[in-house]
Amino acid sequence: MELQLENITKNYRDKKVLKGISLTMGTGVYGLLGPNGAGKTTMIRILADVQRPAKGNVLYDGKDIRTMGDEYRAKIGYLPQDVSFYSDFTGRDYLEYSAALKGMEKARAKTRIEELAHSVGLWDDLKRKCTAYSGGMQRRLGIAQALLDDPEILILDEPTSGLDPFERIRFRNIISACAKDRLVLLSTHIVSDVEQIAAHIMMMEYGVIRHIHTGEEYIHMMEGKVWLAEMSAEQLINYQNHAVISNVRAKDGCMEVRIIEEAQPVSGAVQAVPALEDAYLYLFNYLPEKPGR
């Protein structure tokens, strides 16, 4: 199975949101990382066939999804960034309603609802109103909805937005468990959401996919560019205005600063083991005015 974007362009009035995106995805988990406003949601909506591009095509195994229509949409499980619930719906009502919209037979829908309610940890809460669910429970209900018809393609837009660390970990575990033999595209601005589970990570900025690599390749890219230095709080205030800093913590009366720089940034700085977040900050906070860059 292959999903291909060919020169996808999208404008909102006179603003170009997507600028000729071309890429090919197959089975596996893909992370789409980028700052807010990068164009991630627009790209996601086009892939989910809820929005049309101004130019370009989306192909499923070589077929244009516009000509496939319902045949393509039946292959999609989609969790938008914002999910609305009818105020009188219970969790079971919501899943039964979603199954009906997908055209599922009642017997199969009942079986899938029970299976998924167990797998996302909501079995004991299906009789509760959706509006009484916590944010994490609502996102888990959303992923159950997206998985109801066992889709070949699972598209998730900012799935952990607003969740606490425990719920984010739980959500990632659910995605990992259901990722086998399907294409999963997870769009987020939270690096840790994709660091452990995505085989391929795309970094998007200003409507363009800037980079597509594995997590290991991004980390390798940063070798020799991540440093730890100690400085006073006063020094840090001045220094941070012209440096890419990924972390700061208090240590023995001074500040330990994690700095991203190609050469030793300050006297006494030592190299640190790089992480994916370092690459993300390096690529999106590149400071061309700095000497040596």
Side-chain angles (χ1 to χ4, degrees), residues 226-228 244-247 256-260 272-275 278:
V226 184
W227 304 81
L228 291 177
V244 179
I245 295 175
S246 64
N247 191 53
E256 184 182 69
V257 185
R258 188 178 179 92
I259 304 166
I260 301 171
V273 177
D278 297 317

Side-chain angles (χ1 to χ4, degrees), residues 148-274:
L148 273 173
D149 208 14
D150 196 22
E152 292 183 28
I153 302 169
L154 184 61
I155 299 176
L156 310 170
D157 190 6
E158 297 285 356
T160 66
S161 178
L163 301 188
D164 62 36
F166 175 80
E167 282 287 4
R168 287 210 305 272
I169 293 169
R170 186 172 188 171
F171 197 92
R172 290 200 304 268
N173 291 341
I174 292 169
I175 299 306
S176 295
C178 71
K180 185 180 179 181
D181 300 327
R182 58 165 56 93
L183 190 164
V184 179
L185 177 59
L186 195 162
S187 169
T188 184
H189 64 281
I190 302 172
V191 175
S192 60
D193 281 355
V194 299
E195 187 169 17
Q196 301 299 325
I197 64 172
H200 306 279
I201 300 170
M202 300 175 280
M203 293 201 181
M204 185 175 192
E205 186 180 32
Y206 302 123
V208 176
I209 302 292
R210 301 289 189 193
H211 307 273
I212 305 177
H213 301 292
T214 66
E216 291 79 7
E217 288 169 339
Y218 282 112
I219 291 171
H220 179 70
M221 178 193 308
M222 297 305 297
E223 290 180 358
K225 297 183 178 70
V226 184
W227 304 81
L228 291 177
E230 295 182 358
M231 60 183 70
S232 68
E234 292 76 14
Q235 290 173 317
L236 175 61
I237 290 172
N238 293 323
Y239 185 77
Q240 67 185 356
N241 293 326
H242 57 274
V244 179
I245 295 175
S246 64
N247 191 53
V248 176
R249 69 185 183 99
K251 179 184 177 183
D252 300 329
C254 66
M255 310 304 292
E256 184 182 69
V257 185
R258 188 178 179 92
I259 304 166
I260 301 171
E261 179 58 89
E262 292 178 2
Q264 187 183 44
V266 295
S267 178
V270 296
Q271 289 190 0
V273 177

Side-chain angles (χ1 to χ4, degrees), residues 118-132:
H118 280 292
S119 66
V120 302
L122 289 177
W123 175 253
D124 294 329
D125 299 286
L126 285 181
K127 294 181 180 180
R128 293 177 58 192
K129 296 290 182 65
C130 299
T131 50

